[in-house]
Amino acid sequence: MEKTCIDALPLTMNSSEKQEIVCIFGTGDFGRSLGLKMLQCGYSIVFGSRNPQKNNLLPNGAEVLSYSEAAKKSDIIIIAIHREHYDFLTELTEVLNGKILVDISNNLKINQYPESNAEYLAQLVPGAHVVKAFNTISAWALQSGALDASRQVFVCGNDSKAKQRVMDIVRNLGLTPMDQGSLTAAKEIEKYPLQLFPMWRFPFYLSAVLCIFLFFYCVIRDVIYPYVYEKKDNTFRMAISIPNRVFPITALTLLALVYLPGVIAAILQLYRGTKYRRFPDWLDHWMLCRKQLGLLALGFAFLHVLYTLVIPIRYYVRWRSGNLTVTQAILKKENPFSTSSAWLSDSYVALGILGFFLFVLLGITSLPSVSNAVNWREFRFVQSKLGYLTLILCTAHTLVYGGKRFLSPSNLKWYLPAAYVLGLIIPCTVLVIKFVLIMPCVDNTLTRIRQGWERNSKH
Amino acid sequence: MEKTCIDALPLTMNSSEKQEIVCIFGTGDFGRSLGLKMLQCGYSIVFGSRNPQKNNLLPNGAEVLSYSEAAKKSDIIIIAIHREHYDFLTELTEVLNGKILVDISNNLKINQYPESNAEYLAQLVPGAHVVKAFNTISAWALQSGALDASRQVFVCGNDSKAKQRVMDIVRNLGLTPMDQGSLTAAKEIEKYPLQLFPMWRFPFYLSAVLCIFLFFYCVIRDVIYPYVYEKKDNTFRMAISIPNRVFPITALTLLALVYLPGVIAAILQLYRGTKYRRFPDWLDHWMLCRKQLGLLALGFAFLHVLYTLVIPIRYYVRWRSGNLTVTQAILKKENPFSTSSAWLSDSYVALGILGFFLFVLLGITSLPSVSNAVNWREFRFVQSKLGYLTLILCTAHTLVYGGKRFLSPSNLKWYLPAAYVLGLIIPCTVLVIKFVLIMPCVDNTLTRIRQGWERNSKH
Amino acid sequence: MEKTCIDALPLTMNSSEKQEIVCIFGTGDFGRSLGLKMLQCGYSIVFGSRNPQKNNLLPNGAEVLSYSEAAKKSDIIIIAIHREHYDFLTELTEVLNGKILVDISNNLKINQYPESNAEYLAQLVPGAHVVKAFNTISAWALQSGALDASRQVFVCGNDSKAKQRVMDIVRNLGLTPMDQGSLTAAKEIEKYPLQLFPMWRFPFYLSAVLCIFLFFYCVIRDVIYPYVYEKKDNTFRMAISIPNRVFPITALTLLALVYLPGVIAAILQLYRGTKYRRFPDWLDHWMLCRKQLGLLALGFAFLHVLYTLVIPIRYYVRWRSGNLTVTQAILKKENPFSTSSAWLSDSYVALGILGFFLFVLLGITSLPSVSNAVNWREFRFVQSKLGYLTLILCTAHTLVYGGKRFLSPSNLKWYLPAAYVLGLIIPCTVLVIKFVLIMPCVDNTLTRIRQGWERNSKH
């Protein structure tokens, strides 16, 4: 429910309760935006400033005083100052004693300082109750009210009463406070707004490299090769035909890479005979970005579907089939119907559709709100059972597509096999290993290890 | 996790703790539904009524007493009475003193009264702790248990202990309490259930008008014109061909209208040389419904995709291409292959697919649960960077579609250009202005202004 | 925001505050995993064990003592023991007096015991504050950090302070505590992780049965019949043609079954003249799984769309249309254009697209995060108004598809009508009854009943 303070304004005016006074240290942009917003929401604001005289930009209705005077006015003080200038607060320790200091600061880059700004502030002013908040909200969004991004304000602090006070203010500004526990959480909270899809970076680059490689591979086979030998200009294939080879292969490979780390982990555990030794970091990191890999794979699969469905609309396709029919008509011969081809074409299309359907299901269940609504057992069921079924269907789809002309020498150009052959390597490997792993004998050992049993232990 | 009280019932029976007594004033429909539900969840209920005798509809197990007697029985009293009849409570002030009054009332229309019902109640019975709750839940849903809509119960009140008590009850009924802060939030909470997609209204009407206008525009060009000049009956085009012109144009225009206000705002800020002056209201409102505009645009784009993909299935298309081939065959001539046409058709299709793909991505990130999981920086990146890329791709898609025959006089019918030409006006304008705005010189000034700098200030 | 304790570790080290000591009873797998995780998050752990000597698997840094000694060390004790072995705790009652006992146990099957494990524990150790938590988290996920499934930890307990302490620990482990109220909620919390899509079971089996039946029905008409009479091998139709008959019919039937119970309920209420009598259980259960029925229907509709869009790509279709043209060319005759066929084909396709579009909208609004963002009125509007519109469009789509050859005897094979005729039975019934129900006279009575009025009452 969006609570727009513009409506709240008159309300708080005629409401009997006396207005709460909040003090803001610093008259920078964020300080002013926050002050304006709080004024609109019926708070009365006192700004603390180095030189209270020359501040002509402050929202009307706000008072400006020296730091110490301002601090005296209220027991909640928002520190809208960069960490670099915190040190002057040490002179105010006795004034700030027992007050609530709200640290809203952010750094320019992650891990800029050993400890979080909020904890640094707490060390400077031991007497005060430091609460971290508001650092995830942008000043611009606060003013424009365009808070689509996220109304969540992460709040943490060691004094629960102080935290509660701040969370009430957050609510009154129409934002959603999220209690993150003690002040040790400040480190994470300060890291949060600086991130730009950290988990997506590796999967993204990986798929980008895959795409580019496959693109040139196909260009060589489908454009350069025919040009060299038949002087045919196939460049137009680069718009649709070739992407429609690149995307499905990338999708299938990425999907297989989602399940490869799990398989490797199982082998490691079997080999070590215990689950109590950490996996190598690369494996850990890989496992943590499986979701992103899967979603990227889904994206490429989606593109593949669209590229495939537009085939009959393409000029080239219409021209070719048209001419084909014309020549047949001229030669007065109908071409016979081959049931096997019908089976082949229909079944590989059907496999593809079913695979894509399950894939979309997987994607939907990975939506935060959906995955929060299912329990662990259900999630495992969907992600591993349905996930493997998807992988099997998509691999089968590619295999049947290959059909007879699979690895037939006629299909090699400059000794390069068709691209889809490359796309099958990883998926098949994963499926074969997985098949071995679910053999009862292997599976039992693995299950016992995962339940805590250790091979070389006195248990 | 859905907590069905039917299961909870036996549980609370054999549970040692004595049942909590809750009093409900008023035996109307919602009062009874709520009472029944609370009985099922193991509370014991006392109804307060004007005439305790003639109440034969109450759920079994509930006691009925006069208001004052009922009030004495419990320290939580749910006021299931219309605001109009609150005044009788003034006589009970001493009985209600220190008790928790739960205001569950709703009004018939927004802003019916100066102050919210809950605050009105608080004024009537100053001694009581008023808590607003349950007004967003429908009586019918409460009984049938079909609470798919929303299990959220917005709770607000000035006394935090009282609020906590009420929130516990809400939880025990299997609902999710949402603390909205002090009683001043009641105004918003009461407004909430009366709304019907307020943010969607303007975008919806706008797109409706657009569609209708474009529909008739196309009817004139593609149905009436050929009928007048060639006596051809093209009415059947109104089912698919024409909608498939109307939808993409509407989609593109709406998408452009998502980014137009941002551009206008930038110009305004540049012109004013400050960001501390409010935008005109129409611009504010426009900016706040950008998300809805974008989602509507996505809807139309989705329809356009479906309408395009079914083209080869249509009887008319099959008939035409079939006849074309037949005539060619009869004339014994194959039509030559034109690489340029192949390029044109393939590239405009590819552009469309990529544009649509990014568009779907934008739509997914605007899902509440997804946008809550990204931070401000990530959201800005997706919505502005990817958003503009989408706009560029879709505009290019239309331009290439236009291809050579763009604005060629032969294409004018009754001096009316093809519809897609109209569709290009706003997108191109937006892109051109945006291009100017990201020129370093302009961009720097804008950035400084947005960081709080002001042109005509002593800073 | 994902809070990875690996980062938190150094932080908590150099943080001044002394580490909180937590005691864990039981050195089983989950106990160890939880201990390890808590160590990583900067807690110091004491394990309580039957024989503290022989425990060589515990994470380094953790202390192991006898139960009583361990209990003395901390005031929070996590009971990582199966319910079967709780009884030994009775000997420790005086040590555990006033301490917080965290019950993390799960049972093997639902309703294994009369009361929940947490409540059983509370009865065994009356002096302690029992809090239920952590039972929804898997040990493996806790270690690997792969908590995609759900970071939600449901917490309940009668002592709010104890609950708060536990919720803080949950937060510090990077999980999201969900306060579920008093200990009576434990029953539900313990049931939760054992469920596997309980609400989906009935809809799933229902649609499976439907699909299988329709599949064989179509096989008889389209494969066996032509084989018997024309010796034609149509088996390849089983890959796409027949599924593309089965899926739409299943989808339409399921969609109709979403609205049938509402209609039945209305009739029942009209017949009984009251809303205060419970519906029969089968109807209640049916009403509660409407959402699942609808989503399954959407799934089948989605498959139908894909199967339809690939039609022109299929070898069989290309072959047939190609030969058709060839024969025409040989016979030198063009087939004339029939406007009516154009209308028929275009309009039934258009109806289908619009129906599917609305259907997707319904699906999106049923996403938890979306349905939480709309109020009851909006949800009703979407689900009932748009829902019925979808049903009407899809039924019309099927009717127009039937077109003229609807029930024409030539279309009967072995007296079996075409499959789509079967698919129309339930939808049409629902729509007809609904049409009767919204007749003013009937509607008024129904509305009054739903507002609490009763026919045979003194009101």
Side-chain angles (χ1 to χ4, degrees), chain A residues 119 179 184 191 275-276 308 325 334-335 337-338 343 345-346 371-372 374-378 454 458, chain C residues 7 11 29 32 56-57 138 149 152 171 192 194-195 197 235 302 313-315 319 322-323 326-327:
Chain A
E119 289 171 307
D179 187 343
T184 53
K191 186 185 288 173
K275 72 169 207 182
Y276 289 103
T308 309
T325 339
E334 300 191 353
N335 68 337
F337 177 69
S338 116
W343 259 114
S345 103
D346 278 12
S371 61
N372 275 335
V374 302
N375 65 35
W376 179 249
R377 190 178 163 211
E378 293 165 338
E454 298 204 313
K458 285 151 238 58
Chain C
D7 311 353
L11 183 64
D29 185 37
R32 278 176 288 177
N56 45 6
L57 294 177
S138 100
Q152 293 180 327
R171 275 195 209 90
Y192 182 64
L194 297 172
Q195 297 170 331
F197 298 110
T235 47
F302 180 62
I313 301 172
R314 295 174 55 199
Y315 163 82
W319 170 84
N323 273 13
V326 170
T327 36

Side-chain angles (χ1 to χ4, degrees), chain B residues 12-182:
Chain B
T12 45
M13 287 321 168
N14 63 29
S15 78
S16 54
E17 60 180 24
K18 67 157 202 45
Q19 299 188 342
E20 191 174 5
I21 301 176
V22 175
C23 166
I24 298 177
F25 274 13
T27 57
D29 186 37
F30 195 81
R32 278 175 289 176
S33 309
L34 195 57
L36 180 59
K37 183 79 173 174
M38 295 181 86
L39 278 168
Q40 291 171 338
C41 292
Y43 290 92
S44 64
I45 301 301
V46 183
F47 279 99
S49 162
R50 218 181 307 89
N51 34 16
Q53 288 63 31
K54 49 182 297 304
N55 282 293
N56 44 7
L57 294 176
L58 296 175
N60 336 359
E63 203 177 353
V64 196
L65 302 170
S66 75
Y67 286 128
S68 55
E69 289 164 337
K72 288 197 189 73
K73 289 257 187 180
S74 153
D75 57 350
I76 296 190
I77 296 150
I78 296 171
I79 311 294
I81 299 170
H82 290 118
R83 175 199 175 111
E84 291 68 30
H85 314 115
Y86 276 5
D87 34 23
F88 83 90
L89 292 165
T90 47
E91 309 149 9
L92 303 169
T93 34
E94 66 281 353
V95 192
L96 300 178
N97 201 354
K99 306 230 164 187
I100 301 171
L101 301 190
V102 186
D103 183 304
I104 63 173
S105 62
N106 276 320
N107 299 327
L108 295 176
K109 57 187 207 298
I110 293 175
N111 296 328
Q112 195 171 359
Y113 299 100
E115 80 285 84
S116 68
N117 302 352
E119 289 171 306
Y120 173 64
L121 179 60
Q123 290 164 24
L124 286 179
V125 194
H129 308 301
V130 174
V131 175
K132 182 85 200 180
F134 289 114
N135 70 313
T136 55
I137 301 294
S138 98
W140 182 79
L142 203 54
Q143 270 186 335
S144 68
L147 286 158
D148 315 325
S150 171
R151 319 184 139 272
Q152 294 180 327
V153 174
F154 299 110
V155 182
C156 76
N158 292 331
D159 180 278
S160 60
K161 259 198 197 46
K163 197 157 61 175
Q164 207 52 54
R165 286 283 302 275
V166 175
M167 285 170 77
D168 287 338
I169 294 177
V170 172
R171 275 194 210 90
N172 291 337
L173 299 187
L175 304 167
T176 321
M178 309 286 283
D179 188 342
Q180 295 296 308
S182 70

Side-chain angles (χ1 to χ4, degrees), chain B residues 127-348:
Chain B
H129 308 301
V130 174
V131 175
K132 182 85 200 180
F134 289 114
N135 70 313
T136 55
I137 301 294
S138 98
W140 182 79
L142 203 54
Q143 270 186 335
S144 68
L147 286 158
D148 315 325
S150 171
R151 319 184 139 272
Q152 294 180 327
V153 174
F154 299 110
V155 182
C156 76
N158 292 331
D159 180 278
S160 60
K161 259 198 197 46
K163 197 157 61 175
Q164 207 52 54
R165 286 283 302 275
V166 175
M167 285 170 77
D168 287 338
I169 294 177
V170 172
R171 275 194 210 90
N172 291 337
L173 299 187
L175 304 167
T176 321
M178 309 286 283
D179 188 342
Q180 295 296 308
S182 70
L183 206 59
T184 54
K187 187 104 180 168
E188 284 305 312
I189 297 180
E190 289 174 8
K191 187 186 288 173
Y192 183 63
L194 297 172
Q195 298 171 329
L196 186 62
F197 297 111
M199 302 305 295
W200 286 89
R201 206 154 287 159
F202 166 65
F204 177 78
Y205 289 133
L206 178 66
S207 49
V209 170
L210 258 170
C211 280
I212 293 162
F213 163 72
L214 288 166
F215 185 79
F216 285 114
Y217 186 91
C218 295
V219 167
I220 292 170
R221 283 191 86 244
D222 304 346
V223 179
I224 299 176
Y225 182 91
Y227 181 77
V228 170
Y229 287 92
E230 309 155 28
K231 290 274 162 292
K232 258 176 67 185
D233 174 6
N234 275 351
T235 47
F236 72 91
R237 284 176 169 283
M238 289 193 288
I240 290 192
S241 316
I242 290 180
N244 200 20
R245 286 224 175 76
V246 173
F247 292 149
I249 298 171
T250 318
L252 186 56
T253 315
L254 288 177
L255 182 59
L257 289 178
V258 171
Y259 293 96
L260 188 51
V263 167
I264 296 177
I267 295 172
L268 258 177
Q269 288 179 329
L270 279 173
Y271 171 74
R272 293 169 167 180
T274 174
K275 72 170 206 180
Y276 290 104
R277 268 170 57 201
R278 272 186 79 83
F279 293 129
D281 288 348
W282 58 268
L283 188 56
D284 267 339
H285 183 245
W286 189 353
M287 282 187 139
L288 286 175
C289 65
R290 280 180 295 184
K291 180 181 171 183
Q292 285 74 12
L293 279 168
L295 289 175
L296 276 177
L298 178 55
F300 284 109
F302 181 61
L303 282 171
H304 167 50
V305 169
L306 287 178
Y307 272 93
T308 309
L309 292 177
V310 295
I311 286 175
I313 301 173
R314 294 173 57 199
Y315 164 82
Y316 166 68
V317 177
R318 281 185 278 116
W319 171 83
R320 196 184 51 191
S321 68
N323 274 14
L324 200 76
T325 338
V326 171
T327 38
Q328 282 179 20
I330 293 169
L331 306 175
K332 294 229 181 317
K333 75 166 203 22
E334 299 191 352
N335 67 336
F337 178 71
S338 117
T339 318
S340 68
S341 327
W343 260 113
L344 219 59
S345 105
D346 277 14
S347 51
Y348 103 77

Side-chain angles (χ1 to χ4, degrees), chain C residues 318-365:
Chain C
R318 280 186 279 113
W319 170 84
R320 197 184 49 193
S321 67
N323 273 13
L324 200 75
T325 338
V326 170
T327 36
Q328 283 178 21
I330 293 170
L331 305 176
K332 295 226 180 321
K333 74 167 202 24
E334 300 192 353
N335 66 338
F337 178 71
S338 115
T339 318
S340 67
S341 326
W343 259 114
L344 219 58
S345 104
D346 277 12
S347 52
Y348 104 76
V349 169
L351 283 167
I353 292 176
L354 294 173
F356 179 67
F357 177 70
L358 286 183
F359 211 159
V360 171
L361 266 190
L362 288 177
I364 292 170
T365 50

